[in-house]
Amino acid sequence: MTTTTTAPPSTAPGQSPQLRTRRLPVVASLGIAVAAVVLSAAVVYGAGIGGTALVVALAVVFYLVGLFLASNAVEGRRQARNRTWSALIHSAFVLALLPLASVTWTLVSKGIERLDGNFFGTSMNNIGARDPNGGAYHAIIGTLEQVGVATLITVPLGIACAIYIVEYGRGRFAFTIRFFVDVMTGIPSIVAGLFVLAFWILIVSPYFNDGRPGYSGFAASLALSVLMLPTIVRSTEEMLRLVPAPLREGAYALGIPKWKTILRIVLPTALPGIVTGVMLAVARAAGETAPVLLVAGGGAAINFNPFENNQSSLALYVYQQAGDASRYAPARAWAAALTLVALVLILTIAAKLLARRNRFSR
């Protein structure tokens, strides 16, 4: 195997020359990678024990072993360990990125077929099994309204709870709040839906609906709020704790009240992290199916009023179309899934840009 050496430069009198170092050429690393892929494919496909995923995983193992042996022979054991660990870290990043790339490619390739004006401008009302038309306009409206109402309910409540825990809470009461927030983090979505069904739909809503249970998008928003609240509280709490104490102490030294210090200094400093936590909660809420199915009921028609009658959502629309017997349903399901991911991505980017603009304006 060829090696490269760095020749000592010309040195002035009285200066010690630089030491020679042997380096593994880049071509050798590429050759090891190609050989690892070929060997892995030969083993996996030759033995018939797996597919592409196993080929990639086994190729990484062969590459790391071959890289260590080659580097150990050329550069020495210490440099070989360093190079192998660096390659392992980069390989782990690539392996973690592969599922995301696979999901993205699958969504785009299968969902782009029905991304047209009919899909975004019509609902599933009066659409039969043999009708190739039909869209998700009603589901998009439902998702935006349900998640929007849930965000309006949860964000102020979650931020206020986090402020109390960090800035004011002391003793058992604050510990109890933090404990129950941690417990709520692991609540399944179906439990949140059942809670709203038992409390709001069966007990409260009959008082406003002539004695009949009232399924609505607002009930779905209440269920989504139960799921969003612990995420917002915990993320906001951690961001507030990261605000340096000297910022608070400097404000107190200038005679600024504590409430104004929190509003004008602590919250703006932690705003980017708070926005990230809020968008994580929004992404989870937008993808929930069970609460919407239980308390909103779904529906094929467009309903702009979240406080009356059944309402659908994109996640529920995907679930219904995926189980539909029509041959046109799978394309609608993939298009709705792609729309949901794109919607969450757009909202996240917009929220990040807004938080960044507010930070720069100060």
Side-chain angles (χ1 to χ4, degrees):
M1 181 178 296
T2 62
T3 61
T4 61
T5 60
T6 58
S10 58
T11 57
Q15 294 182 352
S16 59
Q18 295 182 0
L19 298 177
R20 289 176 177 269
T21 58
R22 306 177 67 188
R23 303 284 297 178
L24 188 69
V26 178
V27 177
S29 299
L30 295 177
I32 295 173
V34 173
V37 172
V38 173
L39 180 60
S40 175
V43 171
V44 172
Y45 293 129
I49 57 176
T52 306
L54 184 59
V55 170
V56 174
L58 196 59
V60 170
V61 176
F62 288 157
Y63 173 71
L64 293 176
V65 173
L67 183 65
F68 177 80
L69 295 176
S71 180
N72 185 45
V74 176
E75 301 172 313
R77 190 173 187 82
R78 181 177 181 180
Q79 183 63 24
R81 287 198 300 265
N82 178 68
R83 186 181 290 274
T84 303
W85 279 107
S86 298
L88 178 62
I89 293 173
H90 287 87
S91 301
F93 169 75
V94 173
L95 289 177
L97 195 62
L98 285 178
L100 177 61
S102 176
V103 170
T104 303
W105 171 254
T106 303
L107 279 176
V108 173
S109 61
K110 294 188 176 183
I112 201 171
E113 177 184 350
R114 278 301 317 273
L115 288 183
D116 50 27
N118 180 267
F119 180 80
F120 290 108
T122 61
S123 68
M124 291 298 296
N125 200 25
N126 298 323
I127 298 296
R130 297 183 179 181
D131 194 340
N133 295 321
Y137 180 63
H138 63 299
I140 296 174
I141 295 298
T143 296
L144 291 176
E145 291 184 349
Q146 293 163 20
V147 175
V149 173
T151 303
L152 291 177
I153 296 173
T154 311
V155 170
L157 184 61
I159 294 178
C161 182
I163 290 175
Y164 173 79
I165 293 175
V166 176
E167 303 292 342
Y168 296 98
R170 298 293 183 273
R172 293 185 177 180
F173 185 63
F175 175 79
T176 303
I177 294 176
R178 190 180 297 110
F179 172 76
F180 279 106
V181 168
D182 292 337
V183 171
M184 289 178 62
T185 304
I187 290 180
S189 60
I190 189 70
V191 176
L194 288 173
F195 168 73
V196 174
L197 176 66
F199 173 70
W200 181 264
I201 300 295
L202 300 180
I203 297 178
V204 178
S205 66
Y207 289 99
F208 307 97
N209 200 32
D210 298 329
R212 296 172 300 172
Y215 295 86
S216 62
F218 178 72
S221 299
L222 293 179
L224 297 179
S225 298
V226 176
L227 301 175
M228 293 173 62
L229 184 61
T231 302
I232 294 177
V233 172
R234 290 299 292 166
S235 60
T236 304
E237 179 187 353
E238 295 302 324
M239 291 302 104
L240 293 179
R241 293 187 186 279
L242 291 178
V243 176
L247 290 179
R248 298 180 176 89
E249 296 170 355
Y252 299 153
L254 294 174
I256 301 177
K258 187 171 185 177
W259 66 270
K260 186 174 290 187
T261 300
I262 295 172
L263 291 179
R264 302 299 297 272
I265 296 177
V266 177
L267 284 179
T269 304
L271 183 60
I274 295 175
V275 170
T276 300
V278 170
M279 295 314 301
L280 287 175
V282 167
R284 181 189 178 185
E288 291 293 345
T289 303
V292 181
L293 181 62
L294 282 175
V295 301
I302 300 172
N303 179 16
F304 289 98
N305 188 356
F307 300 98
E308 293 183 1
N309 300 324
N310 291 10
Q311 196 176 55
S312 186
S313 69
L314 280 172
L316 181 58
Y317 181 86
V318 172
Y319 170 76
Q320 292 173 338
Q321 292 300 311
D324 199 305
S326 173
R327 67 188 183 117
Y328 303 106
R332 299 192 196 108
W334 282 110
L338 179 59
T339 303
L340 179 59
V341 173
L343 182 63
V344 173
L345 179 61
I346 292 172
L347 292 177
T348 302
I349 294 175
K352 285 287 189 179
L353 292 178
L354 181 61
R356 184 180 180 184
R357 180 181 178 183
N358 290 338
R359 183 179 61 183
F360 286 159
S361 64
R362 293 191 303 271

